[in-house]
PDB file of all heavy atoms in Angstrom:
ATOM      1  N   GLU A   7     -55.046  86.299 -68.509  1.00  0.00           N
ATOM      2  CA  GLU A   7     -53.865  85.814 -67.914  1.00  0.00           C
ATOM      3  C   GLU A   7     -53.062  86.820 -66.948  1.00  0.00           C
ATOM      4  O   GLU A   7     -51.867  86.597 -66.818  1.00  0.00           O
ATOM      5  CB  GLU A   7     -52.864  85.244 -68.951  1.00  0.00           C
ATOM      6  CG  GLU A   7     -53.553  84.208 -69.824  1.00  0.00           C
ATOM      7  CD  GLU A   7     -52.643  83.516 -70.773  1.00  0.00           C
ATOM      8  OE1 GLU A   7     -51.500  84.021 -70.956  1.00  0.00           O
ATOM      9  OE2 GLU A   7     -53.006  82.528 -71.464  1.00  0.00           O
ATOM     10  N   ALA A 152     -46.429  85.725-103.256  1.00  0.00           N
ATOM     11  CA  ALA A 152     -47.694  85.074-103.280  1.00  0.00           C
ATOM     12  C   ALA A 152     -48.877  85.846-102.787  1.00  0.00           C
ATOM     13  O   ALA A 152     -50.071  85.501-103.050  1.00  0.00           O
ATOM     14  CB  ALA A 152     -47.552  83.730-102.474  1.00  0.00           C
ATOM     15  N   LEU A 165     -63.451  87.184 -97.109  1.00  0.00           N
ATOM     16  CA  LEU A 165     -63.453  86.144 -95.935  1.00  0.00           C
ATOM     17  C   LEU A 165     -63.997  86.882 -94.689  1.00  0.00           C
ATOM     18  O   LEU A 165     -63.976  86.196 -93.693  1.00  0.00           O
ATOM     19  CB  LEU A 165     -61.940  85.752 -95.669  1.00  0.00           C
ATOM     20  CG  LEU A 165     -61.293  85.054 -96.833  1.00  0.00           C
ATOM     21  CD1 LEU A 165     -60.035  84.433 -96.282  1.00  0.00           C
ATOM     22  CD2 LEU A 165     -62.214  84.021 -97.571  1.00  0.00           C
ATOM     23  N   LEU A 322     -34.940 116.117 -83.069  1.00  0.00           N
ATOM     24  CA  LEU A 322     -35.829 115.692 -84.209  1.00  0.00           C
ATOM     25  C   LEU A 322     -35.948 114.120 -84.255  1.00  0.00           C
ATOM     26  O   LEU A 322     -34.869 113.448 -84.308  1.00  0.00           O
ATOM     27  CB  LEU A 322     -35.373 116.200 -85.551  1.00  0.00           C
ATOM     28  CG  LEU A 322     -36.061 115.876 -86.831  1.00  0.00           C
ATOM     29  CD1 LEU A 322     -37.405 116.583 -86.867  1.00  0.00           C
ATOM     30  CD2 LEU A 322     -35.239 116.283 -88.034  1.00  0.00           C
ATOM     31  N   VAL A 340     -53.223 112.966 -96.758  1.00  0.00           N
ATOM     32  CA  VAL A 340     -51.933 112.593 -96.743  1.00  0.00           C
ATOM     33  C   VAL A 340     -51.704 111.284 -95.920  1.00  0.00           C
ATOM     34  O   VAL A 340     -52.067 111.215 -94.716  1.00  0.00           O
ATOM     35  CB  VAL A 340     -51.013 113.737 -96.143  1.00  0.00           C
ATOM     36  CG1 VAL A 340     -49.583 113.269 -96.083  1.00  0.00           C
ATOM     37  CG2 VAL A 340     -51.143 115.109 -96.920  1.00  0.00           C
ATOM     38  N   GLY A 375     -41.841 123.957 -88.886  1.00  0.00           N
ATOM     39  CA  GLY A 375     -40.984 125.159 -88.483  1.00  0.00           C
ATOM     40  C   GLY A 375     -41.253 125.591 -87.114  1.00  0.00           C
ATOM     41  O   GLY A 375     -40.348 126.065 -86.355  1.00  0.00           O
ATOM     42  N   PRO A 388     -47.586 113.555-106.553  1.00  0.00           N
ATOM     43  CA  PRO A 388     -48.992 113.053-106.720  1.00  0.00           C
ATOM     44  C   PRO A 388     -49.138 111.695-106.184  1.00  0.00           C
ATOM     45  O   PRO A 388     -48.119 110.989-106.033  1.00  0.00           O
ATOM     46  CB  PRO A 388     -49.286 113.189-108.166  1.00  0.00           C
ATOM     47  CG  PRO A 388     -47.975 113.022-108.826  1.00  0.00           C
ATOM     48  CD  PRO A 388     -46.972 113.712-107.919  1.00  0.00           C
ATOM     49  N   VAL A 393     -45.666 105.644-103.121  1.00  0.00           N
ATOM     50  CA  VAL A 393     -46.101 104.246-103.216  1.00  0.00           C
ATOM     51  C   VAL A 393     -46.657 103.959-104.609  1.00  0.00           C
ATOM     52  O   VAL A 393     -47.769 104.328-104.798  1.00  0.00           O
ATOM     53  CB  VAL A 393     -47.143 103.906-102.113  1.00  0.00           C
ATOM     54  CG1 VAL A 393     -47.615 102.506-102.132  1.00  0.00           C
ATOM     55  CG2 VAL A 393     -46.603 104.285-100.682  1.00  0.00           C
ATOM     56  N   THR A 399     -51.647  97.077-106.978  1.00  0.00           N
ATOM     57  CA  THR A 399     -52.593  96.498-107.979  1.00  0.00           C
ATOM     58  C   THR A 399     -52.137  95.265-108.605  1.00  0.00           C
ATOM     59  O   THR A 399     -52.817  94.514-109.288  1.00  0.00           O
ATOM     60  CB  THR A 399     -53.134  97.492-108.965  1.00  0.00           C
ATOM     61  OG1 THR A 399     -51.845  97.923-109.719  1.00  0.00           O
ATOM     62  CG2 THR A 399     -53.802  98.652-108.366  1.00  0.00           C
TER      63      THR A 399
END
Side-chain angles (χ1 to χ4, degrees):
E7 300 182 355
L165 301 189
L322 180 70
V340 176
V393 179
T399 58

